[in-house]
Amino acid sequence: MRLDKFLGTYDLGTRKQIKEYLKNGRCTVNGVVVTKPDVHVDESKDEISFDGILLEYSKYHYYMLYKPAGVVSATTDGRNETVLDLLSEENVKGLSPAGRLDIDTEGLLLLTDDGGLIHRLLSPKKHVDKVYEVHLAHELSDNDISKLEAGVNIGDLRDDGSPDLTLPARIEVASPDEEGRPVVLLTIHEGRFHQVKRMMEAVGNEVLFLKRLSMGPLKLDESLSPGEYRKLTEEELKALNVSE
Ligand code: URA
């Protein structure tokens, strides 16, 4: 990797500033001052310091993306823009989204090359909470809410042919959106295909807008705009039980 690109992953400044810092001799590679931005370094082996502080090499990379609508949660796609295309400034090699959001769904998406974490978050056995903001065509009745919270038939079958109901969920009614459409916050503990849309269909409703607000301990940073991303903070990594 180019030295300026490596330094760029540490939020030290813009590419232009980093060039300037290098010119000023603030960076050493294996103890030797390096002033050229295009020098190649092996980030897993070389000891790279900035202002005398060793920049620890982290094996894995973790980004929070505010996925906008119109982008697919895949690493490649022949037709549509992918979530990886939105991380244009980063080295996206090996990164994958932790789970999928539909093309028209917005919100929190974790992108990482840490397969163990992806597995822990998505494993059906782990029942990681996911909270969605759901804008609906019709208000949910108390009866609909009870049914959705208890578990509904969304057409999935068990091996013996009986309906595989959704796991118990939680619904909190929120204020209507600007267009007066009903909004609920739905917490589910699994991640079946089109689950939220199919749950609402099961009670005769329709999802008009869907946004994921959280996944386990990770909450969408509302200072991000749709399409923006940032690295996870130390605190977020700790909450996810990631030790770097
Ligand atoms: N449920 C859905 O129906 N769609 C999503 O994108 C996520 C959950």
Side-chain angles (χ1 to χ4, degrees), residues 2 15 33 48 57 113 127 192 214 223:
R2 278 173 59 121
R15 273 276 169 105
V33 172
I48 303 162
Y57 166 65
D113 45 5
H127 297 174
R192 303 193 200 181
S214 69
S223 73

Side-chain angles (χ1 to χ4, degrees), residues 1-5 7 18-27 29 32-41:
M1 187 191 291
R2 278 173 59 121
L3 180 57
D4 56 351
K5 190 157 190 192
L7 294 174
I18 286 172
K19 251 190 188 167
E20 204 53 40
Y21 299 154
L22 285 167
K23 249 196 221 159
N24 295 337
R26 293 171 68 176
C27 181
V29 178
V32 178
V33 172
V34 176
T35 54
K36 293 213 167 72
D38 59 352
V39 162
H40 277 258
V41 291

Side-chain angles (χ1 to χ4, degrees), residues 152-165:
V152 282
N153 180 356
I154 58 171
D156 290 345
L157 297 178
R158 294 182 186 281
D159 289 344
D160 66 3
S162 61
D164 191 3
L165 303 185

Side-chain angles (χ1 to χ4, degrees), residues 48-66:
I48 303 162
S49 297
F50 186 79
D51 284 346
I53 296 167
L54 182 67
L55 301 176
E56 301 275 1
Y57 166 65
S58 56
K59 191 163 161 207
Y60 297 121
H61 306 85
Y62 305 88
Y63 299 95
M64 172 190 297
L65 170 71
Y66 186 160

Side-chain angles (χ1 to χ4, degrees), residues 173-177 181-184:
V173 177
S175 312
D177 65 18
R181 300 177 302 196
V183 178
V184 296

Side-chain angles (χ1 to χ4, degrees), residues 100-102 105 132 188 192-198 210:
R100 287 176 179 242
L101 292 176
D102 298 336
T105 302
Y132 290 91
I188 55 176
R192 303 193 200 181
F193 185 61
H194 296 325
Q195 179 161 348
V196 177
K197 291 173 186 164
R198 291 199 288 153
L210 187 58

Side-chain angles (χ1 to χ4, degrees), residues 97-153:
R100 287 176 179 242
L101 292 176
D102 298 336
I103 189 161
D104 55 351
T105 302
E106 295 190 2
L108 174 69
L109 196 64
L110 169 68
L111 291 141
T112 181
D113 45 5
D114 181 347
L117 176 64
I118 294 183
H119 176 74
R120 291 203 300 281
L121 288 171
L122 300 186
S123 164
K125 288 189 198 124
K126 304 275 184 193
H127 297 174
V128 170
D129 280 8
K130 276 144 281 198
V131 181
Y132 290 91
E133 180 185 308
V134 193
H135 298 224
L136 291 162
H138 318 287
E139 228 163 82
L140 291 174
S141 66
D142 289 347
N143 190 31
D144 292 338
I145 293 177
S146 304
K147 279 192 204 160
L148 288 164
E149 288 192 329
V152 282
N153 180 356

